[in-house]
Structure formats: C-alpha cells, structure tokens
Amino acid sequence: MNEDLSGKVALVTGAGRGIGRAIALRLARAGADIGVTFHASKAEAEALVREISDHGARAIMLQADMRNVADVVAAIGRTHATFGRLDILVNNAGILAPGRINKISVETFDEAYAVNVRAPIAAIQAAAARMQAGGRIINIGSIGSDYMPYKGRAAYTMSKGALASLTRGLARELGERGITVNNVQPGRVLTKLLEEASDNQLNDLAAATAIGRLGEPGDVADLVAYLARPQAGYITGANLRVDGGTSA
Ligand SMILES: NC(=O)c1ccc[n+]([C@@H]2O[C@H](COP(=O)([O-])OP(=O)(O)OC[C@H]3O[C@@H](n4cnc5c(N)ncnc54)[C@H](OP(=O)(O)O)[C@@H]3O)[C@@H](O)[C@H]2O)c1
C-alpha cells in the first residue's frame, strides 16, 4: 500500500493523547507535516512534536480549546501559514459529556455539541477554504451513534450521529472540488475515555467484538492514514467502522 504523504500537511485536533496522538504519529511516519492541537495535554503534545521530528517530519503545537471557535480557526490559520498549505484535517478531539437526557444540564449538553460538532464544523470551514483538490477531511465519530447507547451516553452518541450526518452532506458539497469527507467510527479503544470502566466491563466490551480484544489507538490511525492517501480519492461520504466486529 503506497501511503506516501510527503509534501502533505495535516492538522489533527486533540493530538496530545489517545487516538489523536496515534493518528498524528501515523501521518507523520507517512511523511506529512503536522499541526498538533492540544488543550490540557501540553507536556504530551511537546513530547509528540519531538517524536514527529525524530521521524523526519515537521510539527507545530497549537493550543486550542475546541469550545472556542476562534481558537479552532486560529489553529488552522497557523498551520497553513507555517507550512504553506493544508491537505488533511482530522477532527479527533471529543468528549463524553455524561448525563441522562432527562437530567442533563444545558451546560453539559452545549459542551458536547461545542466540542464534538461545532468545533469540527468551524475547522472544516477554515480548512476547506485553504484546501486544494485532493484535500481530505476525516472526522472521528463513534459506532455508538449506530446503537442504543448506555444510560447517560445519549448526548455523546447524538453528537456523534450529527457528525455522521454532517459527513454525508459535506461530502456532496465538497466533492465537486475533489475534496473527500469521511467519518471513521471507532469501537471501544483503550484510552483515557474508557478510564472509568472496571476490568469486568472492559472484559465484557472485548468479548462483544468478533476479534476478541479492545481496540488500540493505532487500529484507528491505520484507517485514517488509508483515507488520507492520494489513492483514496473515490472514498467519500462514508461512515467506516473500525471496531473489531462489535455487535452492540
Ligand atoms: N476511546 C474510545 O473507545 C472511542 C470510541 C469511539 C470514538 N472515540 C472518539 O475518538 C476521539 C478521541 O478520543 P480518545 O479515545 O483518544 O479520548 P481521550 O484520550 O479522552 O482524548 C480526547 C482528546 O480530546 C481533546 N479534547 C477534549 N476536550 C477538548 C477541548 N475542550 N478542547 C480541545 N481539545 C479537547 C483532548 O485534548 P487535551 O488532553 O489536550 O485536553 C484529547 O486529546 C474522540 O472524538 C472520541 O469521541 C473514542
């Protein structure tokens, strides 16, 4: 598989840790220069930038609170200004925003949508204005939007459903410019997002997959890198699961 992304520039949101970190590293290994956004994970983002340089790619750190549209737009602008182009946008930053729908506060609900939906839209607007034909927009949704969610997760899965729907609509709008838009839907991946799960719950989640294990950040990063390739130009508007064959 030819995955040469040399000469390309990517921006990955929430790249300090977890899935975003694996995606940034994977794209850098394929040769892309990377804009790394972080919010709280400053030390982790610094370490990532060093690791990317060790792979021979360039990277810049951009502090951006996804709740703040101006931060999102500034991160895109700085990446483009630094590297002179922008080819790949990965909307990865996300939050769970737990709470049962009949009790969830307006603030928590708004935060879920600000981070998981509004920030990706702001990033897409700023990025698409700077992308050439061959541009790639990759959202990180969740398989949760396709299932009846756990109690207290409905705001999260609703927001990820919005991202899936946004992906289809946007693919049509940007297709005529040769820009693809896809939504990668991870199953359960071992990151901080799952830190509240007990060992028993993690075992049950692993058992619910066909492969028999939880996902790793690299499993998601591999699919993102595949979609970022120049050869993936006919894959667009797709919601693609990377979940080890999860049944529920
Ligand atoms: N892990 C799973 O099982 C799973 C399953 C399906 C989908 N996903 C999706 O995969 C994506 C990555 O999740 P993960 O598992 O890697 O979780 P994670 O380890 O909790 O990472 C979340 C990322 O989002 C960033 N973030 C959160 N709030 C932010 C804010 N207000 N402003 C800027 N950045 C913010 C964090 O940045 P800082 O640390 O710098 O604050 C961090 O990089 C999310 O969209 C998540 O919904 C994960």
Side-chain angles (χ1 to χ4, degrees):
M1 181 168 73
N2 179 2
E3 276 180 9
D4 188 7
L5 297 178
S6 44
K8 306 282 188 194
V9 174
L11 180 126
V12 183
T13 68
R17 62 186 163 95
I19 293 172
R21 181 179 201 284
I23 293 170
L25 259 182
R26 186 72 177 72
L27 297 179
R29 279 204 199 105
D33 295 322
I34 314 284
V36 167
T37 87
F38 68 98
H39 182 225
S41 300
K42 187 173 183 207
E44 293 87 341
E46 281 168 353
L48 174 64
V49 165
R50 280 195 300 275
E51 203 173 333
I52 289 174
S53 338
D54 291 345
H55 288 291
R58 297 176 294 169
I60 53 166
M61 277 174 63
L62 307 148
Q63 188 159 28
D65 183 344
M66 294 291 132
R67 293 171 296 190
N68 182 354
V69 166
D71 281 13
V72 178
V73 173
I76 302 278
R78 270 197 56 207
T79 302
H80 185 263
T82 303
F83 298 122
R85 57 187 294 147
L86 182 62
D87 305 282
I88 302 157
L89 167 67
V90 184
N91 282 313
N92 165 78
I95 53 167
L96 277 180
R100 293 187 181 213
I101 286 295
N102 62 344
K103 289 186 187 155
I104 196 168
S105 69
V106 171
E107 290 75 21
T108 304
F109 185 83
D110 281 352
E111 192 176 6
Y113 270 72
V115 174
N116 296 351
V117 184
R118 190 178 68 197
I121 292 173
I124 286 163
Q125 287 179 339
R130 294 168 169 88
M131 278 181 181
Q132 307 294 320
R136 301 278 182 262
I137 293 169
I138 301 165
N139 298 318
I140 306 299
S142 169
I143 61 163
S145 63
D146 293 346
Y147 292 115
M148 187 183 288
Y150 295 122
K151 291 170 189 161
R153 289 283 181 269
Y156 173 74
T157 56
M158 283 164 67
S159 71
K160 292 298 187 179
L163 212 49
S165 187
L166 164 73
T167 297
R168 292 188 203 99
L170 193 69
R172 193 179 290 286
E173 291 182 5
L174 294 180
E176 61 199 9
R177 289 179 47 201
I179 297 171
T180 66
V181 189
N182 291 293
N183 188 39
V184 168
Q185 298 177 292
R188 283 70 181 230
V189 180
L190 264 179
T191 67
K192 212 171 170 187
L193 208 75
L194 286 189
E195 70 186 352
E196 283 170 19
S198 67
D199 284 350
N200 274 348
Q201 285 170 326
L202 292 178
N203 286 338
D204 287 349
L205 293 173
T209 68
I211 298 293
R213 68 165 173 85
L214 294 169
E216 290 165 14
D219 295 322
V220 182
D222 282 341
L223 178 55
V224 171
Y226 185 89
L227 294 170
R229 301 152 70 223
Q231 297 88 339
Y234 203 61
I235 306 172
T236 195
N239 288 290
L240 298 160
R241 291 184 184 182
V242 50
D243 67 352
T246 298
S247 55

